[in-house]
Amino acid sequence: MVVLIFGASHTGKTLLAQKILEKYHYPYLSIDHLKMGLIRSGNTDLTPEDDEKLTEYLWPIVREIIKTAIENNQNLTVEGCYIPFGWKKDFDAKYLENIKAYCLVMTENYIRSNFDDILKYADSAEKRLDSSVNMKELVAENRQNLSLCEEGTNCVLIDNEYKVDIIL
């Protein structure tokens, strides 16, 4: 089984992947680690700020890693913001039956009510070189992701309290 966890920055994707590792013993691939490895090694001229271009660059690599894990009957969690909402079109039925995908989305109410905590826990699962976050941008990105989830993606909605867990 491959579990995909995606969503906006600061929604707890890496933290959830870590919980899945501890509970189910599924190793996880952080797309951010792959991104930084490719950038730091000079294998791309892209920078961490090139989000849209990074999705186009990274997704074909990640997609083939997912296929390889499934072909080898290996469990894997893949987490990151570089998983496109149209990811399903890249897999046929034999792969799709082995993939569970979840998009983490914070409501505007949650973000506004808990913004200090979002900042406080920004480094819970990994140390960020730059953990700055803008409330307006975070609200906008989560709002957009929620509307995209309504097109058929499993959405883990974070509204009143931060309680994120999935059962595999």
Side-chain angles (χ1 to χ4, degrees), residues 5 16-18 28 36 55 57 64-65 81 99 101 112 115-116 125 130 134-135 139-140 143 153 155 158-159:
I5 302 170
L16 180 56
Q18 182 65 36
Y28 71 87
M36 292 311 297
T55 299
Y57 180 70
E64 298 309 315
I65 291 170
C81 58
I99 300 172
R112 292 192 184 286
F115 192 69
D116 288 341
D130 177 16
N134 175 298
M135 184 188 300
V139 167
R143 185 181 295 135
T153 298
C155 179
I158 303 158
D159 189 18

Side-chain angles (χ1 to χ4, degrees), residues 22-57:
E22 293 167 5
K23 186 173 183 178
Y24 297 103
H25 307 286
Y26 281 30
Y28 71 87
L29 168 66
S30 168
I31 301 174
D32 278 342
H33 291 174
L34 177 61
K35 168 189 77 177
M36 292 311 297
L38 290 165
I39 289 171
R40 288 179 172 173
S41 67
N43 282 293
T44 181
D45 292 328
L46 298 172
T47 71
E49 288 79 35
D50 294 323
D51 281 341
E52 234 176 83
K53 291 178 182 175
L54 281 164
T55 299
E56 292 172 18
Y57 180 70

